[in-house]
Amino acid sequence: QVQLVESGGGSVQAGGSLRLSCVASGYIFSRYCMGWFRQGRGKEREGVAAIDSDGSTRYADSVKGRFTISQDNAKNALHLEMNSLKPEDTGMYYCVYDQFCQAEWMVAGPAARISTWGQGTQVTVSS
């Protein structure tokens, strides 16, 4: 079973940057995808970005060109570099993992089909 622990959330002003990190422990299959979902107040969880074991990445249209997902396989770590943040990026950000999947599948959602979730880290962007 895989466990995920996020870090790096916080509060910034619009236009600022944050870097989220996620460390995975446990058995990780050779074919997998990992990514980030977020949930704003009163909204459903939505896929933000994902990367799979082939190195392919996918992003939600709302974050393309502003967010970058990357992984450090040696450290079982996942990162999300968030630039040009907007108030609408505010929410709880969750690191997610699933096996035998592709990045496109993960970002498309729905959240209910993702097997493994971290506890989440809060991101707040003020205007």
Side-chain angles (χ1 to χ4, degrees):
Q1 187 172 356
V2 174
Q3 292 81 42
L4 305 171
V5 178
E6 305 98 333
S7 62
S11 298
V12 295
Q13 290 190 327
S17 299
L18 282 174
R19 186 175 191 247
L20 305 184
S21 295
C22 171
V23 176
S25 59
Y27 184 78
I28 297 175
F29 282 80
S30 59
R31 296 201 63 81
Y32 65 89
C33 51
M34 292 186 71
W36 297 90
F37 269 64
R38 69 185 179 188
Q39 186 170 24
R41 183 173 296 181
K43 299 181 180 180
E44 294 185 353
R45 293 186 182 187
E46 62 174 355
V48 175
I51 188 167
D52 59 36
S53 50
D54 291 334
S56 296
T57 59
R58 288 293 186 274
Y59 298 90
D61 288 343
S62 59
V63 306
K64 282 181 181 177
R66 299 188 298 122
F67 290 12
T68 303
I69 191 170
S70 62
Q71 61 183 352
D72 183 342
N73 291 330
K75 299 180 180 179
N76 282 348
L78 184 73
H79 304 289
L80 185 68
E81 191 74 36
M82 305 186 294
N83 298 314
S84 302
L85 283 161
K86 304 175 181 180
E88 50 263 44
D89 294 318
T90 294
M92 187 68 76
Y93 282 68
Y94 299 91
C95 180
V96 294
Y97 162 89
D98 217 316
Q99 59 196 44
F100 305 112
C101 54
Q102 294 178 322
E104 184 175 10
W105 173 90
M106 175 166 275
V107 170
R113 66 181 181 182
I114 306 299
S115 67
T116 305
W117 293 73
Q119 292 299 308
T121 185
Q122 178 67 35
V123 171
T124 302
V125 185
S126 58
S127 58

